Amino acid sequence: MAIVVAFASCEKPGDNSDYDFGDDFTTGSPSEDGSSSEGGPFADGYGKLPETIRLVSYNVHRCTGPNTNVANYDGLGEAIGLIDADVIGLQELDSKTNRHPYKQVEELASRAGMSSQYCKTIDSNGGEYGIGVLYKKSMRVRDTYSGNLPGDEPRKFFLLEFDDYAFICTHFCHKSADNRNKSIDIINEYLVKNWSSYKKPIFLVGDLNCESGSEEMKKMFNTWTMISARKATFFNTTTPKCIDFVLQWNGNNPQTEVLRSGIPQFPQVDFAKLSDHYPILVDLKKF
């Protein structure tokens, strides 16, 4: 695997905004955390290159930005459309709750011109709350699987198998390193049992609520390769931090080439007003 993106580490604890729905926080910006598109692999912008596969993780914070409970489907849908991912894993989605009476994953899919799958994790506020995946309409989903993960607020991992690769979206527990370690074991055990003989690459994206220098991520790196940039993705804190990742499973010896990774920026989009996280993208050479 060739990885050509330069990384810088972040070492702060995970957040808990997903649990208590707190909205009082200080915002940051991509330029402040070093993710500027000036120079480097995105010198010519964040448009998708020919013959590439783009994978994205994005915690959308119930489709609400800082200091508001009003969902901005149009703004997020435009941003997701501009990102132009083949597949994007989304965390913190409401579905027909008292606060947000729509299936948020479908609202975003419709505006971005993509197909969608949703995975409920808990009952919440008169409806549901969970994770989801958007993908190009031209792509075929061959199979899906959802598995339980531990947490005071129960968690899931959600796998979609496409023709050329499998894609897992997840959101780890923010409260307990033990729960995050158990989550890693559960996912690995499932893959070893069910996917070791497959030749398709397997990717995992999500808000893992810990940073690359944590003991949990060091354990993760025993069986996974982090292919996303170590740039601050979460700004619900005085010190922005990197807790959202794109990883590739090493268990079936995948043969892929990573071209670039970063936090996308577009002149017409202010990502700091759309969620309390930035999206993180990875471009791979088409295989």
Side-chain angles (χ1 to χ4, degrees):
M1 180 191 303
I3 301 179
V4 297
V5 183
F7 296 139
S9 64
C10 321
E11 299 191 5
K12 298 291 180 181
D15 74 290
N16 66 350
S17 66
D18 54 310
Y19 187 77
D20 62 16
F21 298 131
D23 291 298
D24 182 18
F25 52 82
T26 303
T27 62
S29 72
S31 59
E32 291 170 351
D33 72 30
S35 304
S36 173
S37 61
E38 296 179 7
F42 295 100
D44 294 326
Y46 287 84
K48 189 179 171 189
L49 301 173
E51 298 301 309
T52 59
I53 295 170
R54 175 165 287 185
L55 308 178
V56 177
S57 184
Y58 195 6
N59 182 325
V60 295
H61 191 242
R62 307 180 315 284
C63 299
T64 62
N67 306 311
T68 179
N69 283 321
V70 178
N72 185 354
Y73 302 122
D74 289 340
L76 270 168
E78 178 187 19
I80 291 170
L82 288 169
I83 292 171
D84 195 21
D86 290 276
V87 189
I88 177 169
L90 304 175
Q91 302 85 42
E92 296 196 28
L93 290 163
D94 270 353
S95 184
K96 292 192 171 181
T97 64
N98 295 330
R99 176 173 38 222
H100 300 125
Y102 302 101
K103 294 181 178 180
Q104 290 190 326
V105 71
E106 294 183 359
E107 295 297 317
L108 297 179
S110 175
R111 287 163 173 78
M114 302 179 77
S115 297
S116 67
Q117 297 267 354
Y118 170 73
C119 177
K120 171 190 170 181
T121 55
I122 59 171
D123 294 317
S124 175
N125 198 31
E128 297 178 1
Y129 179 73
I131 55 180
V133 177
L134 305 184
Y135 52 95
K136 295 283 191 185
K137 288 186 174 181
S138 59
M139 297 175 64
R140 176 176 61 159
V141 176
R142 299 174 64 92
D143 200 4
T144 65
Y145 177 83
S146 64
N148 296 322
L149 300 177
D152 289 4
E153 171 195 323
R155 306 288 172 142
K156 296 270 192 180
F157 72 95
F158 186 38
L159 181 146
L160 280 69
E161 180 188 0
F162 299 103
D163 286 337
D164 298 321
Y165 53 92
F167 182 92
I168 298 172
C169 177
T170 193
H171 189 181
F172 283 178
C173 174
H174 72 280
K175 277 192 170 183
S176 164
D178 183 57
N179 283 335
R180 292 190 288 272
N181 280 317
K182 288 178 180 176
S183 295
I184 295 167
D185 290 337
I186 290 168
I187 294 171
N188 284 339
E189 288 167 6
Y190 166 77
L191 292 176
V192 168
K193 181 179 179 180
N194 296 279
W195 285 86
S196 292
S197 63
Y198 284 67
K199 298 304 181 184
K200 294 180 180 181
I202 299 171
F203 303 99
L204 181 147
V205 311
D207 176 353
L208 303 189
N209 271 314
C210 55
E211 297 189 72
S212 60
S214 66
E215 291 304 313
E216 307 95 278
M217 289 306 292
K218 290 176 183 177
K219 176 179 180 176
M220 193 86 174
F221 297 153
N222 290 331
T223 48
W224 296 81
T225 296
M226 187 167 76
I227 59 175
S228 53
R230 291 176 176 88
K231 293 186 179 295
T233 55
F234 173 66
F235 53 86
N236 186 359
T237 176
T238 56
T239 306
K241 49 197 171 184
C242 176
I243 59 175
D244 301 270
F245 300 96
V246 181
L247 303 108
Q248 180 172 271
W249 191 51
N250 300 326
N252 61 353
N253 297 311
Q255 300 299 309
T256 62
E257 181 179 353
V258 179
L259 301 176
R260 56 187 188 169
S261 176
I263 294 173
Q265 300 175 59
F266 305 100
Q268 62 270 56
V269 175
D270 185 351
F271 281 101
K273 293 182 179 179
L274 296 178
S275 172
D276 60 353
H277 287 242
Y278 297 123
I280 186 81
L281 68 81
V282 171
D283 287 339
L284 301 102
K285 187 176 180 179
K286 197 168 185 179
F287 44 82

